[in-house]
Amino acid sequence: MTAATHSSVSPADADAADAVLLGLDPEQREVATTLRGPVCVLAGAGTGKTRAITHRIAYGVRSGMLMPASVLAVTFTNRAAGEMRGRLRTLGAGGVQARTFHSAALRQLQYFWPRAVGGELPRLLERKIQFVAEAGARCRIRLDRNELRDVTGEIEWAKVTQTVPADYPAAALKAGREAPRDLAEIAQIYGTYEQLKRDRGMIDFEDVLLLTVGVLQDRHDIAEQIRAQYQHFVVDEYQDVSPLQQRLLELWLGDRDSLCVVGDASQTIYSFTGATPDHLLDFRTRYPQATVVKLVRDYRSTPQVVHLANGLLGQARGRAAEHRLELVSQREPGPDPVYAEYPDEPAEAEGVAGRVRDLIAAGVPAGEIAVLYRINAQSEVYEQALADAGVPYQLRGAERFFERAEVQKAVLALRGSARSGGSDDPLLQDVVELPSQVRAVLSSTGWTTEPPAGSGAVRDQWESVAALVRLAEDFARSRPGATLADLVVELDERRTAQHAPTVQGVTLASLHAAKGLEWDAVFLVGLTDGMLPITYAKTDEQVEEERRLLYVGVTRARHHLTLSWALSRAPGGRASRRPSRFLNGLRPGSAALGSRPGGPEAGAARKRGRRGPALCRVCGRTLTEAGEIKLMRCEDCPSDMDEGLYERLRDWRAGQSKLQGMPAYCVFTDKTLMAIAEAAPGEAGQLSMISGVGGRKLERYGADVLAICAGQEPAGADPDDA
């Protein structure tokens, strides 16, 4: 018998229990006090769902309705489980078990294995990727590093959807999986992987759930013993439950219905791992008598952020969208979201870094700021921009760009070719241009100029190496005649300049890695069609999951929110990109084609003349090359540059380069100095209109440059060095 069946609550106990309810809003209080029968809590982002369910458990314990040892609270990450345990201890319910699905199952499996099977539980395989590699080798199927990671992901998906190797091809085809190899090959590797584990007496994390399910199905005595122990269940993030986890939950419950689930279908972003919101959406079908409570009071975000989040979901389609929650902010008004359009990716990164620095100067801690992107390969340009701006940062859920294995392999190949000077390297014969040399070298490592189909590790790894190719292209434009050896030096200098991330730094993270977190200020970057939604999102449901991913990003922001995109990849590139379709009707003026984008950064870009075609100021021809755009004239048009001013600027730049320990071009490129010498600006506004003089460099160097242009010594200059 449980305390819930026979409870006698004294007035003192009632007072202690009621104290737990203080500070809860009406909906949270309903969750906390509904202790019998099935309960479904539909909780929007920032609505205090963890507060509601921990207070529910604590109220039940302190009122005598629940025995602490009879409650099992389940969530999806160790961090969330630890947070829940901490809150429960504070609320006087420290005896309650709060665990992940895997942790709870492993504990039960370890206890019951000798009785159910005999002997000791097989050893747990911490990293399955080595076994997958060996399985591929035994099948005589060679897997590169990227394929290895993706095939491992396919095996994990198959296991959580309870798909055996023989059934994998049909199941993957039906589910529309973007498989990295032939489906029959993956099935063969999957089967061999399972055999390897059996031969060596090992199990993986998915096996922990599968074996627990098997024991509970086959041994009714063990199932009943567990059910006698745990009689009340709480499941957080229920929209992320896989079919295997749902089956385990059903076996834990038996024929009882003392279950409280909490979730939000609009935050389903892990379907590629086997997660599905169907169990949440079907809850009332399985339990017609269930109490359903909606939490819509948003305590995290300002009304302006919440309005955008609601608008984003208002355009959603599909089953999850039918159950969307309309959030109501409980905070004081804040600033409107900023929409910023930039001419190219470096300008976007520089603009974001500038705004980050401004927020820090205004008192926002660096640790309360995040820059969120769709894929990890986008991080490099923001790492560089923040480092240039002197802003500390940390990467979450990804390696630093230059520490990624595929980047290290690529740089090693480039260094080897550079060392040979190209004369003895057959790859570089008849290849003259630096970008072409880089592409040729990297192609020898398996990289292709065309992106791979599908998502996952293959695409992420390709994007990382593609970023090196783009860097080489930009380097060649800024330094005509540069060699492969020069590029390797540049790469080494960039790596050295990127200091180790600090814990209190600005967070750089993918949107997936940001789930469950929040910051005072959030920058959502790279919001173009093709990136969000990403190109390989083909079906309606895949596109809708991309929309939900953006929704998760928006709802991470408490106060400041900036959404930005770049019209082209590199400076001077064709402005062929378009803002994400998800922003249509939400960003100012987006309903009209060709409307003016919002946000101060966009205005600054327009003032610099960087929107639309750049025209030569001498002959009027449309400029396409980055160097010409910097000069605002054709290379062969006559120059009115002040040669003396140009030399003084070069001398000053050399001093700055030595003083700051950075390459001279990091101060200003030769082309930017030429443009300054031609324009001879007399005030900051004129200087800021020159391509290559962004807000950060204007602030750092503007006074010196204007002084030199005026024929004066820059402030702080040493006369002996003049």
Side-chain angles (χ1 to χ4, degrees), residues 660-682:
Q660 299 180 41
M662 63 170 62
Y665 65 83
C666 288
V667 181
F668 286 118
T669 65
D670 288 345
K671 283 293 196 302
T672 299
L673 290 188
M674 291 174 65
I676 294 172
E678 290 185 356

Side-chain angles (χ1 to χ4, degrees), residues 253-284:
L253 275 166
D255 57 2
R256 298 163 301 172
D257 62 2
S258 185
L259 171 65
C260 175
V261 300
V262 189
D264 179 10
S266 297
Q267 296 189 65
T268 304
I269 59 173
Y270 294 110
S271 64
F272 61 92
T273 67
T276 171
D278 289 346
H279 305 300
L280 175 67
L281 300 178
D282 292 338
F283 193 82
R284 281 170 289 185

Side-chain angles (χ1 to χ4, degrees), residues 505-570:
V506 172
T507 297
L508 294 176
S510 70
L511 288 164
H512 282 101
K515 179 74 166 63
L517 304 174
E518 58 186 81
W519 295 270
D520 282 346
V522 169
F523 293 81
L524 302 176
V525 301
L527 301 182
T528 58
D529 263 354
M531 187 56 73
L532 199 70
I534 203 154
T535 50
Y536 48 75
K538 303 295 186 184
T539 68
D540 290 344
E541 178 49 40
Q542 288 170 339
V543 171
E544 287 304 315
E545 181 147 335
E546 294 288 299
R547 187 194 305 276
R548 294 194 295 269
L549 196 54
L550 179 56
Y551 173 79
V552 166
V554 168
T555 55
R556 299 310 94 195
R558 299 191 192 103
H559 193 74
H560 302 279
L561 177 63
T562 299
L563 305 95
S564 64
W565 58 92
L567 297 177
S568 67
R569 178 185 60 77

Side-chain angles (χ1 to χ4, degrees), residues 455-667:
S455 59
V458 171
R459 182 64 181 234
D460 283 353
Q461 304 295 342
W462 184 90
E463 293 284 1
S464 293
V465 181
L468 287 177
V469 176
R470 294 194 295 269
L471 190 153
E473 292 169 348
D474 297 340
F475 184 71
R477 289 193 192 97
S478 64
R479 288 186 58 181
T483 65
L484 197 56
D486 294 330
L487 176 63
V488 170
V489 172
E490 160 75 357
L491 292 173
D492 289 339
E493 289 174 349
R494 281 176 172 251
R495 176 167 186 152
T496 301
Q498 292 177 355
H499 304 292
T502 57
V503 173
Q504 291 303 313
V506 172
T507 297
L508 294 176
S510 70
L511 288 164
H512 282 101
K515 179 74 166 63
L517 304 174
E518 58 186 81
W519 295 270
D520 282 346
V522 169
F523 293 81
L524 302 176
V525 301
L527 301 182
T528 58
D529 263 354
M531 187 56 73
L532 199 70
I534 203 154
T535 50
Y536 48 75
K538 303 295 186 184
T539 68
D540 290 344
E541 178 49 40
Q542 288 170 339
V543 171
E544 287 304 315
E545 181 147 335
E546 294 288 299
R547 187 194 305 276
R548 294 194 295 269
L549 196 54
L550 179 56
Y551 173 79
V552 166
V554 168
T555 55
R556 299 310 94 195
R558 299 191 192 103
H559 193 74
H560 302 279
L561 177 63
T562 299
L563 305 95
S564 64
W565 58 92
L567 297 177
S568 67
R569 178 185 60 77
R574 188 165 62 90
S576 59
R577 294 177 174 177
R578 295 293 177 265
S580 170
R581 71 192 76 167
F582 298 145
L583 300 180
N584 290 345
L586 300 176
R587 60 188 177 90
S590 59
L593 186 62
S595 57
R596 289 166 59 92
E601 287 83 357
R606 286 193 296 273
K607 290 176 183 177
R608 292 195 298 267
R610 297 171 76 174
R611 290 203 66 229
L615 304 178
C616 174
R617 55 189 169 84
V618 179
C619 70
R621 183 179 69 83
T622 298
L623 303 175
T624 57
E625 295 297 323
E628 294 181 336
I629 291 172
K630 280 186 178 292
L631 294 174
M632 292 306 295
R633 64 170 175 81
C634 304
E635 287 278 7
D636 53 359
C637 278
S639 169
D640 53 358
M641 182 179 71
D642 183 332
E643 295 287 349
L645 174 56
Y646 177 65
E647 290 304 319
R648 290 195 300 275
L649 288 169
R650 282 178 58 88
D651 291 342
W652 165 83
R653 182 183 66 173
Q656 289 292 322
S657 171
K658 182 178 180 181
L659 181 65
Q660 299 180 41
M662 63 170 62
Y665 65 83
C666 288
V667 181

Side-chain angles (χ1 to χ4, degrees), residues 416-431 437 484:
S417 292
R419 192 175 292 123
S420 70
S423 58
D424 299 325
D425 193 336
L427 290 170
L428 303 183
Q429 291 178 1
D430 302 322
V431 181
Q437 291 179 338
L484 197 56

Side-chain angles (χ1 to χ4, degrees), residues 389-409:
V391 175
Y393 65 89
Q394 57 175 328
L395 279 171
R396 182 179 181 88
E399 299 167 297
R400 289 170 58 87
F401 180 81
F402 284 102
E403 293 174 359
R404 296 171 190 166
E406 67 274 13
V407 174
Q408 292 179 340
K409 177 181 178 182

Side-chain angles (χ1 to χ4, degrees), residues 2 6 10 89 144 195 199 221 225 260 266 324 413 491 499 572 612 683:
T2 68
H6 297 283
S10 69
R89 281 193 300 269
D144 63 28
Q195 185 61 52
D199 292 345
D221 57 328
Q225 188 173 340
C260 175
S266 297
R324 60 180 172 265
L491 292 173
H499 304 292
E683 51 93 19

